[in-house]
Amino acid sequence: LKRAGIESSMAVIGQYGFVSDNSGTVMSIDLKTMNPVWNVSNMDDSDATITIDTEAPGKHFLYTGNEVDLTGPISNAYFRKVDPITGEEVWKVSRECFGTPINGKTNSGGILSSPVIGKAQGSHLVYTVFSRVNKQNKGEFIAIDKKTGKEVFSVMLDNYSWSSPVDIYDEAGNVYIFLTDVFGTIYLLDGLTGGIIFKEKTNYVFESSPVVVKDQIFIASRGYSILSFKIKTIIYTYKYI
C-alpha cells in the first residue's frame, strides 16, 4: 500500500472486524483466522470509525465515510451504508468538500468524525457531518433515512467539525443531538427536525468528541480544559425562548 496505516478504531460483529484505512479501503477481517474476507474501495482516506447498526435481529449494516485527501484538495466526500457480509454499497450521500492549505500541507475536508445511529423516535435515521463544504470552511450536519438513503434535513454549522456528534433522549424517546464545531460553537438540535434548540459560541477549540453521563455532557478542549454542560438547563432554556 502507498499509505499503510489505520487511524480509526475497529468495529466488530461476532468474529468479524471492520476497519477503514489511510489508503482508501474498507476491510472485513475474520478475527479467528486473521484472514481478510473482503476489501472494497472507500473512495479516499478515512480516520472516522465505522459504525454498526442492527436493523433487525441478525441483520446488520455498516456506516462509513471518507475524507477529501488523496483525491483533494477539492473533491466529493461520500457517506455510505455498506452490507457487512459482502461489502456491497447500499446507498451513498455526497458533498463536495475542500481542503485547506496550512504550512505547506492540506488540512482535509470531508467526513472527519464518526456517524450516529438514531434510536427510539429517531430509529429510522442516521446522522453524519461533512466538513469544509465550502471555501469558508463550514460544516454540514445531515440526517438521512436509513432505509432509503434520502436526506431528511441538514443544518449548516459555523465551522467544520472533527468532533463526533452524540445522541440524547428524553423519557418520551425524543432524540436530541449535541455537537460542536472546531472553533468552539456548541449546538443542541432537535434530532427529528434539525431545529436549533441551543447554540452558543465559546472560547475553546474542540477536536475531541463529547460523552453523555445522565444529564451532563462532557467534552475536552484543545489545551487543558474539560467542559461540562447540564442537559436539563439547555432544554429548559429552549422552552422559554
Side-chain angles (χ1 to χ4, degrees):
L1 297 176
K2 291 183 178 180
R3 298 184 61 178
I6 295 171
E7 296 179 81
S8 59
S9 300
M10 178 174 284
V12 176
I13 303 172
Q15 72 186 67
Y16 300 100
F18 306 91
V19 69
S20 54
D21 66 18
N22 292 341
S23 66
T25 61
V26 177
M27 296 174 282
S28 171
I29 302 167
D30 186 320
L31 300 178
K32 290 185 176 180
T33 64
M34 296 308 294
N35 291 324
V37 179
W38 50 255
N39 185 326
V40 298
S41 173
N42 201 31
M43 315 298 182
D44 205 325
D45 175 19
S46 179
D47 297 346
T49 296
I50 293 169
T51 299
I52 297 169
D53 182 39
T54 303
E55 288 193 2
K59 187 65 173 177
H60 308 286
F61 288 97
L62 310 178
Y63 290 95
T64 185
N66 67 277
E67 301 174 14
V68 169
D69 184 359
L70 304 171
T71 57
I74 303 172
S75 187
N76 282 343
Y78 297 92
F79 179 67
R80 302 192 298 139
K81 180 178 183 178
V82 175
D83 187 317
I85 297 175
T86 64
E88 293 181 0
E89 178 184 289
V90 179
W91 51 251
K92 64 176 176 286
V93 172
S94 67
R95 289 291 189 276
E96 185 178 60
C97 295
F98 296 73
T100 302
I102 298 177
N103 298 325
K105 297 182 179 180
T106 299
N107 209 344
S108 300
I111 293 177
L112 309 178
S113 57
S114 298
V116 170
I117 305 296
K119 306 167 190 69
Q121 299 290 343
S123 61
H124 60 297
L125 298 175
V126 59
Y127 306 94
T128 192
V129 180
F130 286 90
S131 287
R132 295 190 172 98
V133 294
N134 55 30
K135 293 183 178 179
Q136 288 73 48
N137 283 337
K138 302 290 187 181
E140 186 176 3
F141 175 82
I142 302 178
I144 303 162
D145 186 292
K146 292 191 302 186
K147 294 286 188 181
T148 65
K150 181 179 179 181
E151 297 178 30
V152 177
F153 65 79
S154 70
V155 179
M156 291 298 295
L157 309 179
D158 290 349
N159 287 283
Y160 64 94
S161 179
W162 275 321
S163 176
S164 299
V166 290
D167 48 339
I168 305 163
Y169 300 85
D170 61 21
E171 292 181 355
N174 295 306
V175 55
Y176 307 91
I177 302 292
F178 178 86
L179 73 159
T180 72
D181 65 37
V182 73
F183 291 121
T185 301
I186 62 173
Y187 305 80
L188 184 69
L189 307 179
D190 184 314
L192 296 179
T193 68
I196 298 176
I197 296 171
F198 184 85
K199 176 182 175 182
E200 183 174 295
K201 177 73 170 68
T202 73
N203 294 321
Y204 298 90
V205 173
F206 294 122
E207 298 178 344
S208 63
S209 299
V211 295
V212 180
V213 181
K214 295 184 178 179
D215 63 346
Q216 285 187 281
I217 302 168
F218 300 92
I219 185 169
S221 69
R222 184 167 184 169
Y224 303 98
S225 298
I226 298 175
L227 287 78
S228 172
F229 302 96
K230 275 279 190 179
I231 300 170
K232 289 182 179 178
T233 302
I234 293 175
I235 296 175
Y236 178 87
T237 302
Y238 162 66
K239 290 180 178 178
Y240 292 92
I241 287 177

